[in-house]
Structures are given as C-alpha cells and as structure tokens.
Amino acid sequence: MEKKLLSMMTIVLMALVCTTFTSCGDDDDDNKTVKSPIVGTWIISESGDDWSSTETIVFNSNGTGTLSISGYATANKKRESYSYSQSFTYNILSDRLLQVHFEVGELYTKAVDKVWAYSVSGNQLTINDGYDVGKDYSETYTKR
C-alpha cells in the first residue's frame, strides 16, 4: 500500500512539475513589430525651373527605416545630380510624436536624435520636424 501511495504521489508530482515548466515559457515577443499607420513607404517630390528633388521615407514594422533624397540642381548651366540615403531607427512616442535616431551616414556627420510630430490622413503623412527653431516646418508625403 505504501509503495502504491508513493508511486501515486510521484506521478502527481511529475505532472505538477511538467505543467509548471510548460506554463512558464518565455512570453516576450523578440520580434517586436510596430503597428502604426506610418509603416510603409512615403514619397514627396518637388521641382522648380532648374531643380528637382524626391524624398522617400520607409518605416519598417521592426522599428527601422531609411531616408533617401535624390534629385538635381542646375547652376551656371551645369546640371548636377545628387543622391543620399540614411538608415535610422524609430520609436512611436504617442499617436502624434515619434523619435527618430540617425547614426553617422551620408546625411548626418554625427549621430542625431530627432522628435517629429506627425499625422496620417488616408494616404497622406505630414511630418513636422522643427527644421528651423521656432518655425513650423512640415512636409506632406504620399504613401506608395
């Protein structure tokens, strides 16, 4: 009888231990994704008589992105093309603010953190990056 009780207690204990180990797994999501209307590719193009510029911002769902600027300008009857690209990481601070971190690259000679106010309406993304201190500077991009 004692052996039966010991055997039964061992089975119950093993079941309890197995349940504990399986229910205490790692619930953290290592592949965090951003669920926001800013995720995607956004483009703005502008041009004048002797210049043209296209800016593309890509916000990936993993919190990374790329800012690319290309175009041309004509000076002294000479047309010069340019193209720059810069990777960044970003965090959504609220439904109106996001923090962007640029490492050293083609556009920035030192690491830079920026806070951008943003709004999304349909396929339009408006970013106010405070380009000039004390001035309201914003650009509106179209989702591609």
Side-chain angles (χ1 to χ4, degrees):
M1 178 79 172
E2 208 174 289
K3 259 186 169 182
K4 221 179 196 183
L5 183 61
L6 184 60
S7 182
M8 202 59 139
M9 295 269 295
T10 303
I11 291 171
V12 169
L13 184 60
M14 290 300 289
L16 188 60
V17 167
C18 288
T19 304
T20 302
F21 283 134
T22 58
S23 66
C24 291
D26 186 7
D27 292 334
D28 293 338
D29 184 7
D30 291 334
N31 297 324
K32 296 191 185 325
T33 58
V34 176
K35 294 182 180 172
S36 170
I38 69 166
V39 172
T41 301
W42 303 88
I43 297 175
I44 186 171
S45 292
E46 301 173 304
S47 61
D49 291 338
D50 56 357
W51 65 276
S52 178
S53 178
T54 299
E55 189 172 319
T56 304
I57 300 179
V58 177
F59 291 101
N60 299 310
S61 62
N62 65 357
T64 64
T66 307
L67 171 62
S68 302
I69 302 171
S70 62
Y72 71 87
T74 305
N76 298 324
K77 297 182 181 182
K78 184 176 180 186
R79 180 176 171 164
E80 296 208 21
S81 298
Y82 59 89
S83 180
Y84 304 101
S85 185
Q86 179 86 39
S87 296
F88 61 85
T89 57
Y90 72 95
N91 294 310
I92 304 288
L93 301 177
S94 71
D95 63 348
R96 303 271 307 147
L97 292 174
L98 85 122
Q99 180 181 26
V100 182
H101 175 76
F102 291 97
E103 289 291 339
V104 174
E106 288 186 298
L107 295 172
Y108 294 97
T109 57
K110 63 180 183 174
V112 175
D113 285 308
K114 295 187 171 276
V115 175
W116 291 344
Y118 75 95
S119 64
V120 177
S121 179
N123 69 339
Q124 302 289 302
L125 168 66
T126 301
I127 293 177
N128 183 322
D129 69 356
Y131 188 80
D132 292 320
V133 177
K135 293 184 180 178
D136 186 31
Y137 182 81
S138 63
E139 291 182 317
T140 300
Y141 299 80
T142 302
K143 193 166 194 174
R144 179 168 42 168

